[in-house]
Amino acid sequence: DQQVKQNSPSLSVQEGRISILNCDYTNSMFDYFLWYKKYPAEGPTFLISISSIKDKNEDGRFTVFLNKSAKHLSLHIVPSQPGDSAVYFCAASETGANNLFFGTGTRLTVIP
Amino acid sequence: KAGVTQTPRYLIKTRGQQVTLSCSPISGHRSVSWYQQTPGQGLQFLFEYFSETQRNKGNFPGRFSGRQFSNSRSEMNVSTLELGDSALYLCASSSQGFGVTEAFFGQGTRLTVV
């Protein structure tokens, strides 16, 4: 049972435009959400996170939005750069659980 | 400081064999988690260790086991390998555990079962 879902396996965006990656979750107990980026032959790298007490967190070109009522979060990358091309994983956890539930990933391709 | 180190990077085993994978966390980190990544399934949680104690376990058969040593290094073992165990196995370390502090992943061990 996939508790975190990324329904778009791939996304292509022109350089300089906005990339929007989406993620849905089913477990209402999740209260901490993260995005990881993964290049081929490397482990996932932490990108940005958000606690359920917030609805937005921004770090440079990356902004994560959380809509708790819809159990939906999104990652916005503005402006997109070719170096952003990677697989992006959404993940969620519940306080005290000590493990993360990951989505299946979205492959982002930024076209120069 | 050095990152999370996983050895070996690549491994080919035959069905029925067993395998042991190793993970050295970032110095000072006491939490080590293991994940299995397969195409279409994302990262599936295997187990998490903190100070040599398994705190949480995912939904995997008993053929998958792990342990953590006093220096926080961790090993995972898979016995009676099946073709479906072919995957990238990732280890992550953090100071306290996921959801509390940021976790750092190693490059993974690519296991192929033939």
Side-chain angles (χ1 to χ4, degrees), chain A residues 1-108:
Chain A
D1 178 33
Q2 197 76 24
Q3 298 189 50
V4 178
K5 298 177 184 177
Q6 294 177 257
N7 293 318
S8 298
S10 63
L11 174 69
S12 291
V13 171
Q14 289 287 336
E15 180 179 4
R17 307 293 281 266
I18 184 171
S19 294
I20 300 176
L21 295 92
N22 293 303
C23 177
D24 297 292
Y25 61 96
T26 58
N27 188 341
S28 58
M29 298 299 290
F30 288 150
D31 55 8
Y32 190 63
F33 305 89
L34 308 89
W35 285 94
Y36 279 82
K37 180 169 73 172
K38 186 179 185 301
Y39 294 118
E42 293 184 15
T45 303
F46 170 76
L47 200 54
I48 191 169
S49 63
I50 187 167
S51 163
S52 60
I53 62 173
K54 294 185 174 183
D55 54 19
K56 176 182 173 182
N57 188 26
E58 196 171 348
D59 184 2
R61 298 185 296 114
F62 302 90
T63 303
V64 56
F65 295 91
L66 175 62
N67 182 333
K68 289 186 290 292
S69 61
K71 295 190 179 68
H72 176 84
L73 63 156
S74 60
L75 174 68
H76 292 209
I77 307 173
V78 183
S80 300
Q81 300 174 354
D84 296 330
S85 296
V87 177
Y88 289 78
F89 289 96
C90 166
S93 76
E94 180 183 341
T95 298
N98 299 310
N99 67 291
L100 281 176
F101 290 87
F102 282 85
T104 51
T106 296
R107 180 178 300 279
L108 173 66

Side-chain angles (χ1 to χ4, degrees), chain B residues 15-101:
Chain B
R15 252 185 318 177
Q17 287 186 312
Q18 77 162 15
V19 66
T20 299
L21 312 182
S22 179
C23 172
S24 293
I26 291 172
S27 177
H29 283 188
R30 297 162 64 189
S31 170
V32 174
S33 298
W34 288 89
Y35 284 79
Q36 180 195 65
Q37 184 188 5
T38 54
Q41 291 293 316
L43 280 73
Q44 303 290 318
F45 173 71
L46 281 153
F47 25 68
E48 189 256 358
Y49 287 88
F50 184 87
S51 294
E52 302 179 66
T53 300
Q54 186 183 89
R55 293 197 296 190
N56 205 349
K57 190 176 190 303
N59 189 25
F60 277 81
R63 299 185 297 106
F64 292 81
S65 63
R67 60 178 175 169
Q68 187 180 33
F69 302 95
S70 59
N71 61 359
S72 293
R73 190 178 71 86
S74 177
E75 289 181 347
M76 71 163 277
N77 184 275
V78 188
S79 62
T80 319
L81 283 165
E82 301 177 358
L83 295 178
D85 297 333
S86 296
L88 178 68
Y89 290 88
L90 291 160
C91 162
S93 82
S94 71
S95 57
Q96 296 179 54
F98 278 121
V100 180
T101 57

